[in-house]
Every structure is written in C-alpha cells, then in structure tokens.
C-alpha cells in the first residue's frame, strides 16, 4: 500500500466527538500515523505478519494503520469505553479485524511473549504526571521486538535515560522529529492550534526478557 | 494472554471463560504465523479456553512435531484466531473476580481497592 493511500484511509476515520481532557485524548493525525507505521514496516519490518498492540489506542488510528499494512493480528488497548466503541466502528468501516481491550495500562496483566511490536501515542503526562513513562514501561515489558512511541522533544534526554537505564531497553533511537498539531480541543486552549515538537522513537526491549 | 493483576494475586492466569455468546470469525490461514506462535502459547490454557467456547477439537497436549500437520494447524488456527468471545466474562482463577466482556471487549479495569 502506498503511503498516500494509507494516509487517506486513516483520514477518513471517526475521532473523539468529546475528547476527555483528563485522559489527554486527541487524535493521532493521519499524517503522523501513516508515517509512523510506514517507517516501522519499510525500514524495520516490524508490522507485516506480526502481532501489534496499540497502547492507548483511542479511536484506533495506529492499530488500524498496522492492520492496513498487513499486521497479522492487532490488539488495541484503552481505558475509555467510548473511544473503544469508536475504534470498533472504525475497524468495521475499514473491514478490518482488531481485538480491543479496556484496561488501565498500569494494571495490565499480560502473560507471554506473543506481542511483537507496540505502537503508541501515549499521553504526554501533562494531566497525569509520568503517564508517558508508565506507558513506555509497560510497552517495553510486553513487546518482544520493538516499541514505537511519540514523546515531546523537550523530554528527549529524560526519555533516553529512563528507557535505557531504568527500563533496560537495549536501544532507544529517535527516528525523526515531527510537529504535532493539537487543534483547539479543550476550552482552556487559548490559541486556535498549537504546534508541539514531538520525537518518534523506536525502542528495542531488553533481549530475552 | 490476559491475566488478572489484582493486588496480591499471585496466579492470575489463565482466566476462566464464561461464554454467553461466541462468534466465529473468518481469518485467513497463515501457516508460518501459526508455526511461529506455537512455542509462545501455553497450550493447556488455549485448550481450556477453546473448550469454554464450545470448541473441543484441540488435542489436550501438543508438541512441536505436530505443527507439520496441516490438519493440526487448521485446528490451532481456528482456536487461536477465529473463536471470539462476544458476550460473557473472564474470571480470575484465584479470586473469582469477574471481568465482563461486552461486544467483544473485555473490561479489565480494577477497582480502587484492587490496585
């Protein structure tokens, strides 16, 4: 599938009608989502034929992108039932199969090494401090092959240090820096649109964990 | 692969299945994928899960030589990828706590006192 086609399909997905501020809900735009998964597959072979989990899947954008790029099995996890319902509808619209689980990522009990790749656009931790690293911690425990994640560029050194030193990632690489537009979703946003510099990371979990 | 993570529970896997509505999906057969997954699966748990959902064709025990048999792989494929719990519950083997499943989505959220 061509990148433009992927981006276009993702652009047609339904998103949060009433995003919940306390969960830092906002859509992962089709531009970023398509590039993220395209890179994961074409540069690293982490998607096609693999089991992919989307942590904090929201309306399912990243997970569905993985399915469109021929992931063998996709699992979407999110704490919010309304988002999961939308994710379910989106999957139906695209005639794709994705397993959904409602859970708090910090309390997720997961057994075995069945997930190859985790893709995620986790909360940045602006509402619930440390949420971004909570997600990364669990992702590195569960993924057997790779974790793709978005984190604010301002946290780059922090993320690298924690991932390598505390979470024992065997590698932590910034693949590229992106600009994320967070449209004015919440009333307290003063500007119409805010551009946030965001790093796309690829982490490799500790070997034989 | 989900297990129960309530505070204090030491063995929250495998979750038992209470099946109210099971749906059979059509998933393309991919032998390589199945052969790759086989060593990662706890076979007994899969057999028990499949039985709870009404599928009893899986052999109780399996060893890696069996993955050369297409017949075996087809059964494995069916149990692993095509059986889908639409309504019912997942139950912690240690505490009996029920995690409801609605419209195919299990709700694994813990209460405050369980964390």
């Amino acid at each position: 599938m061509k990148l433009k086609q992927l981006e276009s399909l993702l652009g047609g997905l339904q998103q949060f009608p009433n995003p919940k501020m306390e969960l830092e809900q906002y859509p992962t735009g089709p531009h970023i989502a398509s590039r993220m998964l395209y890179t994961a597959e074409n540069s690293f072979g982490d998607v096609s034929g693999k089991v992919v989990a989307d942590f904090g899947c929201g309306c399912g954008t990243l997970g569905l992108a993985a399915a469109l790029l021929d992931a063998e099995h996709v699992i979407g996890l999110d704490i919010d039932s309304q988002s999961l319902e939308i994710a379910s509808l989106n999957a139906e619209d695209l005639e794709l199969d994705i397993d959904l689980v409602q859970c708090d990522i910090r309390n997720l009990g997961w057994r075995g090494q069945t997930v190859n790749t985790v893709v995620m656009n986790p909360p940045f931790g602006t509402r619930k401090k440390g949420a971004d690293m909570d997600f990364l911690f669990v992702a590195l425990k569960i993924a057997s092959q790779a974790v793709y994640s978005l984190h604010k560029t301002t946290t780059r050194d922090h993320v690298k240090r924690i991932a390598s030193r505390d979470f024992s990632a065997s590698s932590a690489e910034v693949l590229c820096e992106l600009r994320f537009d967070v449209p004015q979703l919440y009333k307290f946003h003063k500007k119409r649109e805010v551009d946030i510099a965001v790093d796309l990371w690829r982490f490799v979990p500790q070997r034989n964990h | 692969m989900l297990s129960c993570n309530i505070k204090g529970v030491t063995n929250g896997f495998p979750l038992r299945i209470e099946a109210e509505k099971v749906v059979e999906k059509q998933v393309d057969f991919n032998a390589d994928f199945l052969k790759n997954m086989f060593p990662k699966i706890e076979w007994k748990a899969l057999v028990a899960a499949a039985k709870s959902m009404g599928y009893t064709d899986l052999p109780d025990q399996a060893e890696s030589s069996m993955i050369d048999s297409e017949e075996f792989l087809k059964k494995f494929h069916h149990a692993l990828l095509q059986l889908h719990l639409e309504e019912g519950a997942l139950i912690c083997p240690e505490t009996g706590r029920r995690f409801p499943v609605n419209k195919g989505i299990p709700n694994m959220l813990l209460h405050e006192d369980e964390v």
Side-chain angles (χ1 to χ4, degrees):
Chain A
M1 175 172 302
K2 295 223 167 85
L3 179 58
K4 279 235 173 304
Q5 195 185 358
L6 178 63
E7 187 173 344
S8 161
L9 284 170
L10 296 177
L13 296 178
Q14 272 186 68
Q15 295 297 341
F16 306 101
N18 296 306
K20 298 185 171 109
M21 194 172 78
E22 71 279 11
L23 297 176
E24 281 192 58
Q25 288 181 338
Y26 47 77
T28 304
H31 182 87
I32 289 195
S34 55
R35 276 152 185 78
M36 212 166 137
L37 271 297
Y38 210 72
T39 304
E41 173 53 18
N42 289 348
S43 301
F44 298 98
D46 283 332
V47 181
S48 173
K50 308 287 177 185
V51 176
V52 177
D54 179 356
F55 282 9
C57 66
C59 302
T61 308
L62 293 176
L64 291 170
L68 287 167
L69 292 179
D70 297 318
E72 183 68 33
H73 193 73
V74 178
I75 307 154
L77 300 93
D78 201 280
I79 200 169
D80 179 41
S81 51
Q82 285 168 338
S83 310
L84 290 169
E85 263 189 63
I86 300 180
S88 185
L89 291 170
N90 280 333
E92 244 182 79
D93 276 348
L94 291 178
E95 292 182 345
L96 293 169
D97 204 17
I98 157 173
D99 275 353
L100 297 169
V101 177
Q102 180 178 16
C103 67
D104 181 332
I105 212 80
R106 297 164 301 173
N107 301 327
L108 180 63
W110 191 274
R111 179 115 145 191
Q113 288 288 293
T114 44
V115 173
N116 299 107
T117 302
V118 169
V119 294
M120 60 187 191
N121 178 10
F124 288 146
T126 55
R127 306 305 297 180
K128 205 181 263 175
K129 196 160 190 292
D132 52 345
M133 299 317 278
D134 283 342
F135 270 73
L136 184 56
F137 173 65
V138 181
L140 284 169
K141 266 205 307 186
I142 290 185
S144 64
Q145 190 164 322
V147 175
Y148 291 84
S149 184
L150 294 165
H151 298 269
K152 289 203 289 193
T153 302
T154 50
T155 61
R156 186 180 292 182
D157 290 338
H158 173 75
V159 171
K160 176 107 190 188
R161 193 180 39 226
I162 304 276
S164 315
R165 186 193 69 192
D166 299 344
F167 301 165
S168 306
S170 67
S171 96
E173 230 190 289
V174 173
L175 298 180
C176 64
E177 192 180 311
L178 300 156
R179 300 210 75 84
F180 205 95
D181 347 301
V182 181
Q184 188 188 31
L185 294 173
Y186 308 133
K187 289 206 189 89
F188 66 84
H189 280 180
K190 298 196 183 73
K191 305 193 187 141
R192 213 161 51 81
E193 215 178 70
V194 172
D195 245 4
I196 300 185
V198 156
D199 291 334
L200 169 58
W201 287 86
R202 178 177 191 265
F203 303 94
V204 176
Q206 188 178 42
R207 300 203 194 296
N208 305 319
H209 61 308
Chain B
M1 296 105 207
L2 285 172
S3 71
C4 176
N5 214 14
I6 295 178
K7 178 175 66 177
V9 168
T10 45
N11 196 9
F13 180 90
L15 297 167
R16 286 199 324 269
I17 297 182
E18 206 176 82
E20 273 164 50
K21 180 167 169 216
V22 175
V23 161
E24 290 189 16
K25 295 187 177 176
Q26 279 302 337
V27 177
D28 287 342
F29 179 78
N30 181 340
D32 285 333
F33 174 74
L34 293 165
K35 288 183 186 184
N36 208 279
M37 279 297 268
F38 179 77
K40 302 181 191 178
I41 298 290
E42 290 184 58
W43 193 254
K44 276 210 177 112
L46 183 65
V47 173
K51 280 192 180 152
S52 318
M53 294 199 274
Y55 185 65
T56 50
D57 281 1
L58 279 185
D60 282 337
Q61 272 159 347
E63 4 145 303
S64 37
S65 57
M66 290 160 86
I67 61 179
D68 293 324
S69 148
E70 179 150 324
E71 198 193 316
F72 171 78
L73 281 184
K74 289 246 155 90
K75 292 182 184 169
F76 180 34
H77 169 78
H78 188 73
L80 186 70
L81 298 171
Q82 301 198 143
L83 289 178
H84 182 74
L85 183 65
E86 186 74 11
E87 305 285 329
L90 302 176
I91 311 199
C92 173
E94 198 169 299
T95 62
R97 160 78 145 89
R98 286 178 93 253
F99 295 99
V101 178
N102 295 112
K103 299 191 202 165
I105 303 179
N107 180 347
M108 308 302 297
L109 292 177
L110 299 180
H111 305 140
E112 261 178 54
D113 57 341
E114 292 172 322
V115 176

